[in-house]
Coordinates of all heavy atoms in Angstrom, one line a residue:
Chain A
A231 N 102.1 138.2 102.8 CA 101.9 138.7 101.5 C 101.3 137.6 100.6 O 101.4 136.5 100.9 CB 103.2 139.2 100.9
K232 N 100.6 138.1 99.6 CA 100.1 137.1 98.6 C 100.3 137.7 97.2 O 100.2 138.9 97.0 CB 98.7 136.7 98.9 CG 97.7 137.9 98.9 CD 96.2 137.4 99.1 CE 95.3 138.5 99.2 NZ 93.9 138.1 99.3
L233 N 100.5 136.7 96.3 CA 100.5 137.1 94.9 C 99.1 136.7 94.4 O 98.7 135.5 94.5 CB 101.6 136.3 94.1 CG 101.7 136.6 92.7 CD1 102.4 138.0 92.4 CD2 102.4 135.5 91.9
S234 N 98.4 137.7 93.8 CA 97.1 137.3 93.3 C 96.9 138.0 92.0 O 97.5 139.0 91.7 CB 96.0 137.6 94.3 OG 96.1 138.9 94.7
R235 N 95.9 137.5 91.2 CA 95.7 138.0 89.8 C 95.2 139.5 89.9 O 95.6 140.3 89.2 CB 94.7 137.1 89.1 CG 95.0 136.9 87.7 CD 94.2 135.7 87.2 NE 92.9 135.6 87.9 CZ 91.8 136.0 87.4 NH1 91.7 136.5 86.2 NH2 90.7 135.9 88.1
R236 N 94.2 139.6 90.7 CA 93.6 141.0 90.9 C 93.6 141.3 92.4 O 93.7 140.3 93.2 CB 92.2 141.1 90.4 CG 92.0 141.3 89.0 CD 90.5 141.7 88.7 NE 89.6 140.7 89.0 CZ 88.8 140.6 90.0 NH1 88.7 141.6 90.9 NH2 87.9 139.6 90.2
A237 N 93.5 142.5 92.8 CA 93.7 142.9 94.2 C 92.8 142.0 95.1 O 93.2 141.5 96.1 CB 93.3 144.3 94.4
S238 N 91.5 141.8 94.7 CA 90.6 141.1 95.6 C 90.6 139.6 95.4 O 89.7 138.9 95.9 CB 89.2 141.7 95.5 OG 88.7 141.5 94.3
D239 N 91.4 139.1 94.6 CA 91.4 137.6 94.3 C 92.2 136.8 95.4 O 93.0 137.3 96.1 CB 91.9 137.3 93.0 CG 90.8 137.1 92.0 OD1 89.6 137.0 92.4 OD2 91.1 137.0 90.8
F240 N 91.8 135.6 95.4 CA 92.5 134.6 96.3 C 94.0 134.5 95.9 O 94.3 134.8 94.7 CB 91.9 133.3 96.2 CG 90.6 133.2 97.0 CD1 89.4 133.4 96.4 CD2 90.6 133.0 98.4 CE1 88.2 133.4 97.1 CE2 89.4 132.9 99.1 CZ 88.2 133.1 98.4
A241 N 94.8 134.1 96.8 CA 96.3 133.9 96.6 C 96.6 132.9 95.5 O 95.9 131.8 95.5 CB 97.0 133.6 97.9
L242 N 97.5 133.2 94.6 CA 98.1 132.1 93.8 C 99.3 131.5 94.6 O 99.5 130.3 94.6 CB 98.6 132.7 92.5 CG 97.6 133.5 91.6 CD1 98.3 134.1 90.4 CD2 96.5 132.5 91.2
V243 N 99.9 132.4 95.3 CA 100.9 132.0 96.4 C 100.7 132.9 97.6 O 100.7 134.1 97.4 CB 102.4 132.1 95.8 CG1 103.4 131.8 97.0 CG2 102.6 131.3 94.6
G244 N 100.6 132.4 98.7 CA 100.5 133.2 100.0 C 101.7 132.9 100.8 O 102.2 131.7 100.8
V245 N 102.3 133.9 101.5 CA 103.5 133.7 102.3 C 103.3 134.3 103.7 O 102.9 135.4 103.8 CB 104.7 134.3 101.8 CG1 106.0 133.8 102.4 CG2 104.8 134.3 100.3
A246 N 103.6 133.5 104.7 CA 103.7 134.1 106.1 C 105.1 133.8 106.6 O 105.6 132.7 106.5 CB 102.7 133.4 107.0
V247 N 105.7 134.9 107.2 CA 107.1 134.9 107.7 C 107.1 135.5 109.1 O 106.6 136.5 109.3 CB 108.0 135.6 106.8 CG1 109.4 135.8 107.4 CG2 108.2 135.0 105.4
L248 N 107.8 134.8 110.0 CA 108.1 135.3 111.3 C 109.5 135.0 111.6 O 110.0 133.9 111.5 CB 107.2 134.6 112.4 CG 105.7 134.8 112.4 CD1 105.0 133.8 113.3 CD2 105.3 136.2 112.8
L249 N 110.3 136.1 112.0 CA 111.7 135.9 112.2 C 112.1 136.5 113.6 O 111.6 137.5 114.0 CB 112.5 136.7 111.2 CG 112.4 136.3 109.7 CD1 113.2 137.3 108.8 CD2 112.8 134.9 109.5
R250 N 112.9 135.7 114.3 CA 113.5 136.2 115.6 C 115.0 136.2 115.4 O 115.5 135.3 114.8 CB 113.0 135.3 116.7 CG 111.5 135.4 117.0 CD 111.1 134.4 118.1 NE 109.8 134.8 118.6 CZ 108.6 134.5 118.0 NH1 108.6 133.9 116.8 NH2 107.5 134.9 118.6
A251 N 115.6 137.1 116.2 CA 117.1 137.2 116.1 C 117.6 137.6 117.4 O 116.9 138.1 118.3 CB 117.4 138.3 115.0
D252 N 118.9 137.4 117.6 CA 119.6 137.9 118.8 C 120.0 139.4 118.6 O 119.7 140.0 117.6 CB 120.8 137.0 119.1 CG 121.9 137.0 118.1 OD1 121.9 138.0 117.2 OD2 122.7 136.1 118.1
A253 N 120.7 139.9 119.6 CA 121.1 141.3 119.6 C 121.9 141.7 118.4 O 121.9 142.9 117.9 CB 121.8 141.7 120.9
A254 N 122.6 140.7 117.8 CA 123.5 141.0 116.6 C 122.8 140.8 115.3 O 123.4 140.6 114.3 CB 124.8 140.2 116.7
D255 N 121.4 140.6 115.4 CA 120.6 140.3 114.2 C 121.0 139.0 113.6 O 120.8 138.8 112.4 CB 120.7 141.4 113.1 CG 119.9 142.7 113.5 OD1 119.0 142.5 114.4 OD2 120.1 143.8 113.0
V256 N 121.4 138.1 114.3 CA 121.6 136.7 113.9 C 120.3 135.9 114.1 O 119.8 135.9 115.2 CB 122.8 136.0 114.5 CG1 122.9 134.5 114.2 CG2 124.1 136.7 114.2
C257 N 119.8 135.3 113.1 CA 118.5 134.7 113.2 C 118.5 133.5 114.2 O 119.4 132.6 114.1 CB 118.1 134.1 111.8 SG 116.5 133.4 111.8
T258 N 117.6 133.5 115.1 CA 117.5 132.4 116.1 C 116.3 131.5 115.8 O 116.2 130.4 116.2 CB 117.3 133.0 117.5 OG1 116.2 133.9 117.5 CG2 118.6 133.7 117.9
Q259 N 115.3 132.1 115.1 CA 114.1 131.3 114.8 C 113.5 131.8 113.5 O 113.3 133.0 113.4 CB 113.1 131.2 115.9 CG 112.0 130.2 115.7 CD 110.9 130.3 116.8 OE1 111.2 130.6 117.9 NE2 109.7 129.9 116.4
A260 N 113.1 130.9 112.6 CA 112.4 131.4 111.4 C 111.2 130.5 111.2 O 111.3 129.3 111.3 CB 113.3 131.3 110.2
D261 N 110.1 131.1 110.9 CA 108.9 130.4 110.5 C 108.4 130.9 109.2 O 108.1 132.1 109.0 CB 107.7 130.6 111.6 CG 108.1 130.1 112.9 OD1 108.0 128.8 113.1 OD2 108.5 130.8 113.8
V262 N 108.4 130.0 108.2 CA 108.1 130.4 106.8 C 107.1 129.4 106.3 O 107.4 128.2 106.2 CB 109.3 130.4 105.9 CG1 109.0 130.8 104.5 CG2 110.4 131.3 106.5
V263 N 105.8 129.8 106.1 CA 104.8 128.9 105.7 C 104.1 129.5 104.4 O 103.8 130.7 104.3 CB 103.7 128.7 106.8 CG1 102.6 127.8 106.4 CG2 104.4 128.3 108.1
L264 N 103.9 128.6 103.5 CA 103.2 129.0 102.2 C 101.8 128.5 102.2 O 101.5 127.4 102.7 CB 104.0 128.4 101.0 CG 105.4 128.9 100.8 CD1 105.8 128.5 99.4 CD2 105.5 130.4 100.9
G265 N 100.9 129.3 101.6 CA 99.5 128.9 101.3 C 99.3 128.9 99.8 O 100.1 129.4 99.0
A266 N 98.3 128.2 99.3 CA 97.8 128.1 97.9 C 98.7 127.3 97.1 O 98.5 127.2 95.9 CB 97.7 129.5 97.3
V267 N 99.8 126.7 97.6 CA 100.7 125.9 96.8 C 100.5 124.4 97.0 O 101.2 123.5 96.5 CB 102.2 126.3 97.0 CG1 102.4 127.7 96.6 CG2 102.6 126.0 98.4
A268 N 99.6 124.0 97.9 CA 99.3 122.6 98.2 C 97.9 122.6 98.9 O 97.3 123.7 99.2 CB 100.3 122.1 99.2
P269 N 97.3 121.5 99.0 CA 95.9 121.4 99.7 C 95.9 122.0 101.0 O 94.9 122.5 101.5 CB 95.6 119.9 99.7 CG 96.5 119.3 98.6 CD 97.7 120.1 98.6
V270 N 97.0 122.0 101.8 CA 97.1 122.6 103.1 C 98.3 123.5 103.2 O 99.2 123.4 102.3 CB 97.2 121.5 104.2 CG1 96.0 120.6 104.2 CG2 98.5 120.6 104.0
P271 N 98.4 124.4 104.2 CA 99.5 125.2 104.3 C 100.8 124.4 104.5 O 100.8 123.4 105.2 CB 99.3 126.0 105.6 CG 97.8 125.9 105.9 CD 97.4 124.6 105.3
V272 N 101.9 124.8 103.9 CA 103.2 124.0 104.0 C 104.3 124.8 104.6 O 104.6 126.0 104.1 CB 103.6 123.4 102.7 CG1 102.9 122.1 102.5 CG2 103.4 124.3 101.5
R273 N 105.0 124.3 105.5 CA 106.1 124.9 106.2 C 107.3 124.7 105.3 O 107.6 123.6 104.8 CB 106.3 124.3 107.5 CG 107.2 125.0 108.5 CD 107.2 124.4 109.8 NE 106.2 125.0 110.7 CZ 106.4 126.1 111.4 NH1 107.4 126.8 111.2 NH2 105.4 126.5 112.2
M274 N 108.1 125.7 105.0 CA 109.3 125.6 104.1 C 110.5 125.4 105.0 O 111.2 126.3 105.3 CB 109.5 126.9 103.3 CG 108.4 127.2 102.3 SD 108.5 126.1 100.9 CE 107.0 125.2 101.1
Q275 N 110.6 124.1 105.4 CA 111.7 123.8 106.4 C 113.1 124.1 105.9 O 113.9 124.6 106.6 CB 111.6 122.3 106.8 CG 110.7 122.1 108.0 CD 110.2 120.8 108.2 OE1 110.2 119.9 107.3 NE2 109.6 120.5 109.4
G276 N 113.3 123.9 104.6 CA 114.6 124.2 104.0 C 114.9 125.6 104.1 O 116.1 126.0 104.5

Side-chain angles (χ1 to χ4, degrees):
Chain A
K232 58 179 178 176
L233 180 77
S234 50
R235 219 164 33 98
R236 275 196 293 109
S238 64
D239 260 350
F240 285 95
L242 303 175
V243 177
V245 198
V247 169
L248 295 168
L249 299 175
R250 288 174 166 82
D252 63 17
D255 282 342
V256 172
C257 182
T258 54
Q259 190 185 330
D261 296 281
V262 181
V263 181
L264 296 191
V267 298
V270 299
V272 274
R273 197 173 267 282
M274 293 291 111
Q275 267 157 347

